Amino acid sequence: LTDRKLFWNTLQYLQQNAKERAELAVNATASGSISFTIPSATSKISMQELEELRKQLGSVTTSSSVQQPLELIRKILRDKQNKKNSGQPIPVFPAWVYERSALNGDFLTGSSLSTDTTVPIGTLPLASQESTIVEDLLYVLIGVDGRYITAQPLIGRQNRAFLVDPNLDMSVKELVTRILPVAASYSTVTRFIEEKSSFEYGQVNHALAAAMRTLIKEYMILITQLEHLQRQGLLSLQKLWFYIQPTMRTMEILASLATSVDKGECMGGSTLSLLHDRTFNYTGDSQAQELCLYLTKAASVPYFEILEKWIYRGIINDPYSEFMVEEHELQKEKIQEDYNDKYWDQRYTVVQQQIPSFLQKMADKILSTGKYLNVVRECGCDVTCPEAKEVIYTLKERAYVEQIEKAYNYASKVLLDFLMEEKELVAHLRSIKHYFLMDQGDFFVHFMDLTEEELKKPVDDIIPTRLEALLELALRMSTANTDPFKDDLKIDLMPHDLITQLLRVLAIETKQEKAIINADPTELTLSGLEAFSFDYIVKWPLSLIINRKALTRYQMLFRHMFYCKHVERQLCNVWISNKAAKEYSLHSAKWFAGAFTLRQRMLNFVQNIQYYMMFEVMEPTWHILEKNLKSASNIDDVLSHHTSFLDNCLKDCMLTNPELLKIFSKLMSVCVMFTNCMQRFTQSMKLNNEMGRLTLEHGTMLGPPTEQERAEEVVKKQLTNKLLAEHADAFQLTSGFEATINKFDSNFSTHLLDLLDKLSVYSTNDCEHSMINIIYRLDFNGFYTERLEHISAQRSQKVVSEAPLLPRVVVATQ
């Protein structure tokens, strides 16, 4: 009595819990309430009633733990697919398909379809038992409970179990136990077919379920024929066992495949990989291999349709996310705006779990083939591979390789010819080289002459339209006028100097990126020279090659060389203005000698650095690029060669090494400060000479100068020169100018030696052999060799005997 009460309480609790779950579940299927006949508390429970109670308990747990999760899974998949295919909702079966459980080919547990009174089978003779059990088995084999053989409720995704009447004769029961695995496999396959036929599980699983349904129909035909024999009294239990044995292996394989797909939650390519691997595993079993081959061929049809559109036309039509290539929503216009934009790498990507194992080796080529064709399609050209053939699944992988290779070669040639010939990629690259790598010498001389005064202003005071007009004038009045793409060149005033720009680029995708981007562009006001750069308008599809990342590298090289050119011009201007020193007395000219010597050393340094960058780095690397572009077979090779060209230029121009860049920046700063100092000193002399020249040559607005005016001007000039000479001697007496020049000389020499020393270390330790050419050019007569050797010896001595020498140094200092 206590056990019965416990069962009733448990049953009532599970009923209430199942009802609450059904109300809270998202889109739970509406199902009729399950009613149970509970024996009265005073009656004695029988074995049959206990078994019925177990069935009812199992049905409650099954309905609450299996049906609702399946619906939830379908909803998750449906939402994911609808999100991907906005505007084209995925079709779904109506709700009644899932609500009416009788439409399912599987067992209906928890309800009895028969109202006949069951005669205890143990009371029947053996022949009658066999005949009755054969009839029951024929029902059970098609998913219907018999009178003496009933299906147990499922918990989760376990295999179907059956309850056979314990009073059945042992000899009959033994044969029944052998046949029941077929019914269990049928139950598994039927449930798989009903579940995977839903649109949410994708086209591949749907095709697999359709192929299995075809095999199940053949199985049902066999059972119908056996039923016909049974009605004629010609089917014994032994004959049933004989007829069902060939089907047993087929149903076992189908059930195994269905279970594996379910457990692995396979879709699309992963389903095909599982089927392909099973096909190969059954190499010794011809019947099983033929069955798996049939299923794999059927399931691969929708996948290969997507593959054919991709490799033959560059189109992806994958509403259920089953294909190995995934499309992302990226705008190609951002290639010209965002330095870190990865359109080419991230617009289409490979999804590893969706690559069928038989296409694993060709995955990269499949991705590239569709990408190449898609670029051409984006330009408005409809392309279709002329050698397009239907892709059919086969165990011979060579067939796929040949078809994909042909499609890949065609796509590579189409895009490469499109870019090289129709879009003139090499001509655009040459145009960029003319301006960003300062290839057009006369254009830059003319341009810098026109914009010199404008670029001296703070960047906020510069009018960009004025610079654009001056650029246009310089282009039209130089050899650059013959460039067909000169109109694509634009002015760009950067918000930060070159050093900050380099740091921002080097910090991309690192921990320091956010801090550097959010920092102020610069603490000081930028001049036009420091902020000036060129920009270039690149249209699709050339922007795949000449993207913002590439243009930024070109800009960094240009800003580096442009500033060097500016420093060279400033030093040359100092040389011109210092010619006025020849008019002074010899004792004044003597202390100018140090300044002249330092200027010449600075000019030699800047000119040799420019020569090195232009003729020993950029020109040889450019010739290598042109040679590689001629031999490139696809767009990925072009991208790789172009990126390698820019990286090598940046590295050999010392723009990727912060330590070298810092020293070089200090050297250039010393040169600029020196030129400013010299210009300030000679400014008064220059103005006086200019005024005298203009007055004597051109006269005044009233006409040519008279003899009296000429005499007065000569007197004024002599007086001015005398005052300037006295002023220059005052500098000499105070030693202010000479001390300033000595300080500049000391700083320049220190930084230059530091640079040569670091270049020597990098060229030796890091195998940067091209950088050693700078040492050869700057130290052509061995002037710095002795000092460098002395520094190297001091460094070695410091490492070896740093501790013993430290007290002596302190004493000497004291």
Side-chain angles (χ1 to χ4, degrees), residues 60-87:
V60 172
T61 57
T62 302
S63 63
S64 61
S65 63
V66 177
Q67 299 296 332
Q68 293 170 10
L70 288 178
E71 176 60 28
L72 190 60
I73 291 172
R74 284 195 294 269
K75 183 180 184 302
I76 293 172
L77 291 173
R78 191 161 54 245
D79 291 344
K80 179 182 177 182
Q81 292 155 4
N82 286 332
K83 184 178 180 181
K84 178 183 178 182
N85 303 277
S86 57

Side-chain angles (χ1 to χ4, degrees), residues 416-470:
L416 198 60
D417 292 346
F418 183 73
L419 289 176
M420 292 292 189
E421 297 174 8
E422 186 171 340
K423 297 299 180 180
E424 300 179 289
L425 173 62
V426 177
H428 276 89
L429 290 175
R430 286 200 187 102
S431 176
I432 291 175
K433 176 176 179 282
H434 290 334
Y435 308 118
F436 286 86
L437 304 186
M438 302 184 73
D439 196 8
Q440 294 281 4
D442 65 324
F443 160 71
F444 277 100
V445 171
H446 194 43
F447 176 74
M448 295 182 82
D449 286 340
L450 290 173
T451 59
E452 185 172 9
E453 294 301 322
E454 190 73 17
L455 291 178
K456 287 180 181 179
K457 301 177 183 177
V459 67
D460 295 334
D461 297 339
I462 295 177
I463 304 174
T465 53
R466 177 172 173 78
L467 281 180
E468 292 282 358
L470 294 174

